[in-house]
């Protein structure tokens, strides 16, 4: 170290050589002869004057050594022997000799640095050996080699700091190349992590003093050149990365993280220069990484930096793109192909820059881009377009934004343009061609998958379509706008996306098209899509219907959209069948039939629009013949409730689908017909529905809690009007006549709110529906089902009772039930038309025997107790008596002679009516109304009863004849009808 000046020592002034003197010294150096004597010079003397002239430029340290001392150092370095003792130098001593030459003899720097490679290599090897077999005990002390290593690091750092321009490029290239060689050499050693584990590899080499020293040396060189010209240092890093990647990636990652701004801009600049040097756009393509080797290193470096410095990378890439537009420079013309090649090799870079790039493509930029490529040869331009299409298919960032940009540029939605420069027509044509090529390439990718069936998940998903999968709703909305040529492209893309993401994607696309369509033209897109998908996929309609039902259950559809979906489905079912529509309509109907219970629940939707649309859909839906009871009964219940709700609204047009639906449900099977009839009868006689037919509603139940509260009443004041004194409270005979405790006064039975015309219309509508539903099973079976429903609704405890007429002593035990039956007939005028309908199937009326018996008993009791001179004083009872006898005659329960007596009732006194009804009672007691007494007549298709088999009827006509004789002056014209 005595031969070396201390760092920063000042150099003694030396007079500069003139040109003649410098030329003569060069001749002496080349010839090795003294210019005066002509004798040979010593080994070092010839180049010493040249050294003293250039030395201040190369190093700030002045050689305080004589020529003989430097010559000895050179000999010792070259021979490896001590110049004094002649013994071999130790490796540390030899390395220090190289360091002295490095500091004092700049022309020997390449040899010195080459020698130092061995020192660093030996230190790396020792470090790895220590890691593989660590010695027990405390950490080993620093070895002479490690001390020399630190001396070398300090020496190189001082040289670079003193004269960066002269030393930094060479030292940086030496350090990066040496790190690359060491990384590759020891990559396969035990304990060295694989290149893919970048973090572990970085920890390993940063813990090694030799590689850490080299990394510090390179970082100092790059830091010293950042302000002036860092290209040489960055270029050396790229060259080494090309040779030793991926083992060298840890160096790139560390340096890039330390100098992100410099590395990003300079790496891109060096990569662009190398790209232009290898042919520019002609070298672009899938094989660009072979023809332009440095671009792979650029991609690797930027890829390492993307995790933390994505914003800087994105900003630099966009700056390069915009700076290249409109520039005549050669490297600017190659910028766009270079950026495309980068994106082709690095999806991460493409994902980072593509959204902002699309946003920046305004009309001025697009016009510049068009002008930029207008002079490019056609073949080269086709290659660039192919790369762009490939990138679009394999990008996932901002896919929807990119698609909308291409559509808006290729086919603007409006001819009115925004203020600013107009878009060149060539730009629109280019975007249109790009869009067509994109769809064509996507079609090839989708239909060329390696899976056995397109319904399976693709082996290699298309990133562009994968990114569009969450945006199926937006794509369907855009397609349904039917904007010029966009609709065709969007519809084609929607089909490709449905096939790519089958089976769920196809079902989702069909569902949104059905739910969002508002016009017949928009609705036509769904069958078109289905026809195309059915050719390559299993029928997606069942999955689409299941998706719709799931959306309805989840409550994700707003009520107007839900109603629109139901209307669209019904329109598709009602469309006239064509050559290609049979399969689609059949599949849709079958899929909807599977979800009949779910769709039937919509009939009870609180919004009338939704309930009406659901009713229309179910009315148009083909129902299977073998419908399970679990699916049938809920549908019947909700359809019946929906019918009465429509009848209550009074909308005949809205009522028609409900009538049609119930008729179709009853036609499914005889069991379905019985269920529909039973539900209709029960619904017409119960709850608020009774008011529709002139009846009075049942006593208010829990649903009446929402009704307005009645005015407060005093039960005490009310009851005092019925008795002279207050009944003792709490006694068993305490009776409150005017109301119910806790509910107040009984509501007065006022007149109905509906007019006679409306009541008649409702009754006719209801009876017409019953008759239509009776077609589902035979007339006799249908009438029997109505009869059973009537008994169940009017007197549930008498259901299944004996049909035979009981004797007098047993009839007295049913007085309370008979009064209840009479009261129900008085509350529900619809019961008589229903009984008349049952009487149309003659044997069926027998099953209403308990109702007829109770009603007859109640009427007999009333006329027996009546003290009025005329039957007109009891108008309801008179009408009920006439209707009852007519029913018995129509149902063939009475012979014609007795069945005509109701014509006499208005002209008779109450006691005479009582006597005639007693004769009817007697006949029915002797000839019970049993279905076995009827025989079927095939020629007429009806059941008939032969009254001749029941014995003599004359004994039951005695009272009738007596009444006729007593009133012969008024009833003489009718007498002939009552004599057989």
């Amino acid at each position: 170290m005595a031969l070396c000046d201390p760092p920063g020592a000042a150099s003694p002034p030396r007079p500069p050589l003139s040109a003649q003197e410098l030329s003569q010294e060069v001749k002496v150096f080349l010839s090795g002869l003294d210019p005066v004597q002509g004798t040979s010079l010593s080994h070092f003397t010839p180049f010493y004057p040249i050294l003293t002239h250039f030395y201040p430029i190369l190093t700030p340290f002045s050689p305080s050594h004589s020529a003989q001392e430097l010559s000895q150092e050179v000999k010792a370095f070259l021979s490896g022997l001590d110049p004094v003792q002649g013994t071999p130098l130790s490796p540390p001593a030899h390395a220090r000799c190289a360091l002295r030459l490095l500091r004092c003899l700049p022309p020997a720097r390449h040899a010195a640095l080459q020698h130092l490679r061995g020192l660093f290599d030996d230190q790396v090897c020792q470090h790895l050996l220590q890691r593989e077999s660590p010695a027990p005990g405390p950490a080993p002390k620093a070895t002479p080699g490690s001390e020399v290593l630190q001396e070398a690091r300090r020496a190189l750092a001082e040289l670079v700091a003193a004269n960066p321009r002269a030393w930094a490029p060479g030292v940086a290239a030496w350090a990066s190349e040496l790190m690359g060689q060491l990384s590759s050499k020891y990559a396969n050693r035990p304990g060295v992590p694989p290149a893919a584990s970048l973090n572990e590899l970085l920890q390993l080499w940063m813990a090694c003093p030799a590689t850490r020293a080299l990394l510090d040396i390179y970082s100092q060189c790059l830091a010293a050149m950042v302000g002036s010209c860092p290209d040489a240092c960055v270029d050396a890093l790229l060259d080494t990365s090309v040779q030793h990647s991926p083992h060298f990636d840890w160096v790139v990652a560390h340096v890039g993280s330390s100098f992100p701004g410099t590395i990003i801009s300079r790496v891109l600049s060096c990569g662009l220069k190398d790209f232009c040097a290898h042919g520019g756009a002609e070298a672009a393509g899938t094989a660009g990484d072979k023809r332009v080797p440095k671009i792979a290193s650029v991609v690797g470096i930027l890829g390492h930096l993307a995790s933390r410095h994505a914003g800087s990378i994105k900003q630099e890439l966009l700056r390069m793109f915009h700076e290249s537009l409109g520039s005549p420079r050669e490297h600017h013309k190659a910028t766009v192909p270079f950026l495309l090649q980068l994106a082709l090799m690095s999806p991460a870079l493409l994902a980072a820059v593509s959204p902002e790039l699309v946003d920046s493509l305004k009309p001025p930029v697009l016009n510049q881009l068009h002008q930029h490529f207008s002079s490019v040869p056609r073949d080269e331009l086709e290659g660039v377009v192919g790369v762009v299409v490939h990138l679009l298919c394999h990008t996932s960032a901002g896919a929807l934004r990119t698609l909308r940009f291409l559509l808006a540029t290729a086919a603007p939605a409006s001819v009115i343009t925004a203020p600013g420069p107009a878009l060149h027509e060539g730009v629109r044509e280019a975007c249109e061609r790009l869009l067509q090529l994109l769809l064509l390439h996507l079609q090839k990718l989708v239909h060329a998958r390696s899976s056995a069936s397109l319904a399976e998940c693709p082996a290699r998903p298309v990133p562009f379509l994968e990114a569009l999968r969450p945006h199926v709703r937006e794509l369907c909305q855009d397609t349904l706008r039917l904007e010029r040529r966009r609709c065709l492209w969007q519809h084609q893309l929607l089909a490709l996306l449905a096939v790519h993401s089958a089976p769920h994607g196809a079902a989702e696309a069909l569902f949104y098209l059905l739910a969002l369509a508002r016009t017949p033209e928009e609705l036509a897109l769904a069958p078109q899509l289905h026809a195309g998908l059915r050719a390559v996929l299993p029928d997606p309609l069942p999955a689409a219907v299941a998706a719709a039902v799931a959306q309805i259950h989840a409550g994700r559809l707003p009520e107007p959209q839900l109603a629109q979906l139901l209307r669209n489905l019904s329109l598709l079912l009602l469309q006239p069948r064509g050559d290609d529509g049979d399969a689609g309509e059949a599949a849709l109907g079958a899929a909807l039939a599977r979800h009949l219970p779910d769709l039937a629940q919509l009939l009870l939707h609180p919004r009338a629009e939704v309930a009406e649309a659901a009713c229309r859909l179910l009315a148009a839906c083909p129902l299977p013949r073998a419908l399970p009871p679990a699916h049938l009964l809920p549908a019947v219940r909700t359809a019946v409730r929906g019918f009465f709700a429509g009848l209550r609204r009074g909308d005949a047009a809205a009522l028609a689908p409900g009538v049609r639906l119930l008729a179709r449900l009853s036609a499914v099977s005889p069991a379905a017909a019985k269920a529909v009839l039973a539900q209709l009868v029960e619904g017409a006689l119960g709850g608020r529905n009774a008011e529709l037919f002139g009846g009075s509603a049942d006593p208010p139940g829990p649903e009446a809690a929402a009704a307005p509260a009645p005015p407060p009443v005093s039960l005490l004041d009310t009851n005092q009007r019925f008795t002279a004194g207050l009944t003792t409270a709490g006694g068993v005979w305490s009776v409150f006549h005017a109301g119910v405790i806790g509910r107040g006064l009984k509501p007065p039975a006022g007149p109905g709110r509906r007019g006679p015309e409306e009541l008649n219309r409702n009754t006719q509508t209801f009876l017409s529906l019953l008759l239509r539903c009776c077609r589902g099973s035979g007339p006799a079976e249908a009438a029997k089902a109505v009869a059973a429903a009537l008994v169940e609704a009017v007197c549930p405890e008498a259901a299944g009772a004996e049909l035979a007429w009981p004797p007098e002593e047993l009839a007295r035990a049913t007085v309370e039930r008979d009064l209840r039956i009479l009261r129900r007939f008085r509350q529900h005028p619809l019961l008589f038309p229903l009984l008349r309908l049952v009487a149309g199937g003659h044997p069926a009326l027998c099953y209403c025997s308990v109702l007829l018996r109770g009603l007859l008993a109640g009427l007999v009791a009333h006329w027996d107790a009546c003290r009025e001179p005329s039957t007109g004083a009891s108008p309801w009872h008179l009408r009920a008596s006439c209707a009852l006898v007519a029913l018995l005659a129509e149902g063939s329960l009475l012979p014609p002679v007795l069945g005509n007596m109701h014509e006499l009732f208005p002209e008779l006194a109450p006691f005479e009516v009582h006597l005639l009804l007693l004769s009817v009672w007697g006949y029915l007691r002797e000839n019970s109304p049993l279905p076995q007494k009827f025989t079927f007549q095939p020629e007429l298709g009806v059941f008939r009863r032969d009254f001749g088999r029941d014995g003599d009827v004359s004994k039951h006509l005695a009272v009738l004849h007596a009444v006729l004789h007593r009133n012969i002056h008024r009833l003489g014209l009718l007498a002939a009808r009552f004599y057989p």
Side-chain angles (χ1 to χ4, degrees):
M1 293 300 294
L3 298 176
C4 299
D5 296 332
S11 302
R14 295 183 179 88
L17 299 177
S18 63
Q20 292 79 3
E21 293 174 338
L22 183 60
S23 176
Q24 186 177 5
E25 292 294 338
V26 171
K27 291 178 181 179
V28 171
F29 171 72
L30 295 176
S31 62
L33 300 175
D34 186 282
V36 180
Q37 302 177 0
T39 58
S40 297
L41 297 176
S42 64
H43 179 73
F44 189 74
T45 303
F47 58 86
Y48 184 76
I50 301 178
L51 173 64
T52 57
H53 178 77
F54 287 103
Y55 191 75
I57 303 174
L58 296 174
T59 179
F61 308 122
S62 60
S64 57
H65 321 295
S66 62
Q68 290 77 9
E69 292 174 337
L70 287 176
S71 178
Q72 289 181 356
E73 289 291 340
V74 171
K75 290 179 180 180
F77 174 73
L78 295 176
S79 62
L81 300 175
D82 187 284
V84 179
Q85 301 177 0
T87 57
L89 295 174
S90 63
H94 202 171
R96 287 190 175 94
C97 181
L99 288 176
R100 287 192 292 270
L101 291 179
L102 185 66
R103 298 175 62 119
C104 302
L105 191 61
R109 58 180 174 173
H110 297 291
L113 292 175
Q114 185 68 26
H115 179 78
L116 291 177
R117 289 174 181 266
L119 173 67
F120 283 89
D121 190 354
D122 181 66
Q123 292 298 311
V124 169
C125 184
Q126 292 183 13
H127 175 75
L128 294 178
L129 288 175
Q130 290 178 2
R131 289 185 78 255
E132 294 171 7
S133 56
K141 298 180 180 180
T143 61
S146 60
E147 295 177 356
V148 177
L149 183 69
Q150 297 303 322
E151 293 175 9
R153 185 185 64 80
R154 287 194 296 269
L156 290 173
E158 293 168 359
L159 291 172
V160 171
N163 197 346
R165 184 170 297 181
W167 287 94
V171 174
W174 170 80
S176 61
E177 183 182 359
L178 181 55
M179 284 188 289
Q181 292 177 354
L182 295 176
S183 300
S184 299
K185 178 179 179 180
Y186 296 103
N188 297 325
R189 284 289 293 269
V192 177
S197 304
L198 187 60
N199 291 331
E200 298 179 9
L201 199 63
L202 187 61
Q203 293 178 3
L204 168 68
W205 293 124
M206 292 297 288
C208 178
T211 50
R212 178 61 182 268
L214 289 172
L215 194 58
D216 291 343
I217 291 170
Y218 178 84
S219 299
Q220 185 173 358
C221 294
L222 183 58
M225 298 297 292
V226 163
S228 56
C229 183
D231 287 354
C233 298
V234 176
D235 215 355
L237 189 70
L238 289 178
D239 292 337
T240 307
S241 180
V242 170
Q243 296 177 8
H244 300 284
S245 181
H247 310 295
F248 187 70
D249 290 349
W250 68 274
V251 179
V252 177
H254 184 272
V255 174
S257 300
S258 302
F259 305 91
T262 302
I263 289 296
I264 292 172
S265 60
R266 295 303 174 177
V267 160
L268 287 173
S269 176
C270 294
L272 179 58
K273 291 179 182 178
D274 189 67
F275 184 77
C276 295
H278 285 79
E282 297 179 358
T286 56
D289 57 336
K290 298 179 181 179
R291 299 184 58 183
V292 190
K294 194 170 291 188
I295 197 170
S297 183
V298 173
V299 170
I301 292 174
L302 296 182
H304 288 310
L305 299 178
S307 60
R308 294 186 178 180
H309 306 284
S312 301
I313 296 175
K314 180 168 47 179
Q315 183 179 359
E316 186 63 25
L317 291 174
L318 292 175
R319 185 197 63 78
M320 289 182 63
F321 171 74
H322 291 290
E323 187 180 296
S324 66
L325 298 179
S327 176
R329 296 182 179 179
E330 190 66 28
H331 71 279
H332 281 162
K333 292 182 180 180
T335 299
V336 174
F338 170 69
L339 295 178
L340 290 176
Q341 186 63 30
L342 283 181
L344 194 65
M345 299 175 63
S346 175
L349 294 179
L350 177 62
V353 77
S354 58
E356 284 74 9
L357 179 61
V358 172
D359 291 340
S360 66
L361 293 179
K362 304 300 181 184
V365 178
L366 290 174
N367 291 337
Q368 288 181 353
L369 195 61
H370 177 264
Q371 184 179 3
H372 180 81
F373 282 100
S374 59
S375 59
V376 175
R378 183 177 181 84
D379 295 341
E380 184 177 332
L381 186 60
E382 289 295 332
V384 172
V385 172
V387 172
V388 172
V389 171
H390 181 81
L391 291 176
L392 288 175
C393 291
H394 291 82
T395 184
S396 58
L400 182 62
R401 191 184 309 176
T402 304
L403 175 65
R404 287 178 172 173
F405 162 75
L406 291 175
L407 290 171
T409 308
S414 175
V415 295
I416 302 175
T417 59
L423 197 62
H424 195 278
E425 188 63 27
V427 176
R428 302 190 191 279
E429 296 175 358
C431 280
E432 181 177 350
R433 174 168 172 74
L434 190 62
L435 195 57
Q436 293 173 349
L437 291 175
L438 173 63
L439 292 174
L440 181 61
H441 194 60
L442 288 174
Q443 184 176 4
K444 292 179 181 178
L445 292 175
V446 168
H447 292 281
R449 293 177 293 178
S450 59
S451 56
S453 173
L454 287 174
E456 301 175 6
C457 295
R460 290 185 179 181
V462 182
F464 185 80
L465 295 179
E466 281 291 320
L468 292 179
R469 287 186 65 176
H471 305 287
V472 176
R473 179 187 177 90
E474 292 88 338
L475 291 175
C476 291
Q477 287 176 333
D478 295 343
T479 307
L480 290 172
R481 292 193 179 99
L482 303 178
E483 294 174 342
R484 300 176 64 184
R485 292 176 297 174
R486 288 195 198 182
C487 179
L488 298 177
W489 296 328
Q490 290 167 334
H491 195 268
Q492 184 179 356
L493 180 65
L494 202 59
L496 293 175
L497 180 59
V499 174
H500 175 267
S501 55
H504 303 293
E508 190 178 5
L510 282 174
F511 162 70
Y512 281 121
L513 286 180
L514 291 172
L516 300 175
R518 297 182 177 275
T519 63
E521 292 79 10
E522 296 177 359
L523 184 59
L525 294 178
Q528 293 174 11
L529 179 63
H530 174 250
L533 295 179
R534 196 177 56 191
V536 295
L537 292 174
D539 195 353
L541 267 180
V545 173
V549 173
Q551 294 283 340
I552 294 172
H553 274 305
R556 297 173 184 168
L557 294 179
E559 292 179 350
Q561 188 174 338
L562 173 58
Q564 187 66 46
L565 170 64
L566 299 175
R567 284 194 295 267
N568 289 339
L569 291 173
S570 61
L571 286 176
L572 288 179
L573 290 175
L574 294 175
Q575 282 181 353
R577 296 189 177 186
D579 296 337
D580 194 34
D582 295 341
E585 180 185 349
L588 180 59
L592 290 171
R594 289 194 206 80
H595 300 277
L596 181 62
D598 302 311
L599 297 175
Q601 294 298 323
L602 298 176
L603 296 173
L604 306 178
H605 199 278
R607 185 158 180 168
E609 181 185 13
V610 177
E612 179 183 353
C615 188
R616 291 184 183 276
L617 173 61
L618 292 176
C621 178
L623 301 176
R625 300 299 301 176
L627 197 61
H631 291 182
L632 175 66
L633 296 180
V636 170
R637 283 195 294 267
T638 52
V640 168
R641 293 182 63 181
F643 165 75
F644 286 115
L647 197 64
R648 192 177 296 109
R649 290 194 298 268
D651 188 357
L655 198 61
V659 172
R660 188 164 61 252
L661 172 60
L662 287 170
R664 296 193 65 185
L665 286 173
S666 64
V668 170
S669 63
K674 292 180 181 179
V676 171
L677 294 172
Q679 291 289 333
L680 282 173
V681 172
E682 181 181 355
L685 300 178
R688 296 173 53 196
N689 297 333
E691 300 175 359
L692 298 172
F693 311 102
S696 59
D698 293 335
E703 65 275 5
V713 295
S714 173
L715 292 178
L716 176 63
D717 297 339
T718 304
N719 282 278
Q720 283 178 347
R721 293 198 299 267
F722 286 88
T723 57
L726 180 63
T727 308
T728 304
V732 295
W733 302 111
S734 299
V735 178
F736 294 94
H737 307 279
V740 180
I741 295 175
R743 294 187 181 179
L745 195 65
K746 291 182 180 179
R753 300 178 182 177
R754 303 178 188 273
E757 182 179 354
E758 182 181 359
L759 295 177
N760 291 334
R761 184 173 63 250
N762 291 342
T763 302
Q764 291 301 321
T765 302
F766 180 72
L767 294 178
S768 300
L769 175 59
L770 283 181
L771 289 175
R772 290 185 63 179
C773 294
C774 288
R775 300 173 187 172
S777 57
E781 292 297 324
K784 182 179 177 181
V786 175
L790 277 175
V791 175
E792 183 70 28
V794 176
C795 189
E797 66 272 18
E802 290 290 335
L803 302 183
W805 218 264
E808 291 291 338
E809 57 274 10
L810 295 180
R812 296 191 185 98
T814 61
V815 173
E816 183 180 358
R817 186 182 70 185
D818 296 342
L819 291 176
R820 188 160 56 251
I821 292 174
L822 180 68
R823 186 162 53 249
R824 292 299 300 272
F825 270 88
R826 192 166 187 176
Q827 291 174 347
H828 300 284
L830 185 63
L831 286 175
F832 285 106
L834 289 175
L835 285 175
R836 194 175 302 116
L837 186 147
V838 174
H842 295 166
L845 191 60
C846 299
Y847 296 97
C848 293
S849 176
V850 64
L851 301 183
L852 300 175
R853 187 166 61 244
L855 178 61
L856 182 58
L859 292 174
V860 169
H862 170 77
W863 295 121
D864 184 30
C866 183
R867 297 296 179 263
E868 298 293 336
S870 172
T871 55
S874 302
W876 184 88
H877 292 82
L878 177 60
R879 292 194 302 271
S881 301
C882 295
L884 176 60
V885 175
L887 276 172
L888 294 174
E890 185 177 356
S892 298
L893 301 185
L894 289 178
V897 180
L898 285 176
N900 295 332
M901 69 170 58
H902 65 277
E903 300 176 6
L904 307 177
F905 288 171
E907 305 296 333
L908 302 178
F911 78 94
E912 293 173 329
V913 175
H914 170 253
L915 294 175
L916 292 177
L917 292 180
L918 283 178
S919 63
V920 171
W921 183 280
Y923 179 84
L924 292 175
R925 186 177 65 248
E926 292 184 4
N927 303 280
S928 296
L930 299 176
Q932 296 85 349
K933 297 183 177 183
F934 291 84
T935 57
F936 183 71
Q937 298 182 357
E939 63 277 5
L940 299 177
V942 294
F943 286 89
R944 294 290 187 183
R945 179 177 177 181
D946 186 6
F947 288 98
R949 299 179 180 179
D950 294 339
D952 189 12
V953 187
S954 57
K955 62 179 180 179
H956 301 289
L957 298 177
V959 176
L960 175 61
H961 292 164
V963 171
L964 282 173
H965 291 164
R966 186 175 184 276
N967 298 282
I968 193 65
H969 58 287
R970 289 183 293 113
L971 304 177
L973 296 176
L974 301 175
R977 301 192 59 184
F978 299 99
Y979 287 91

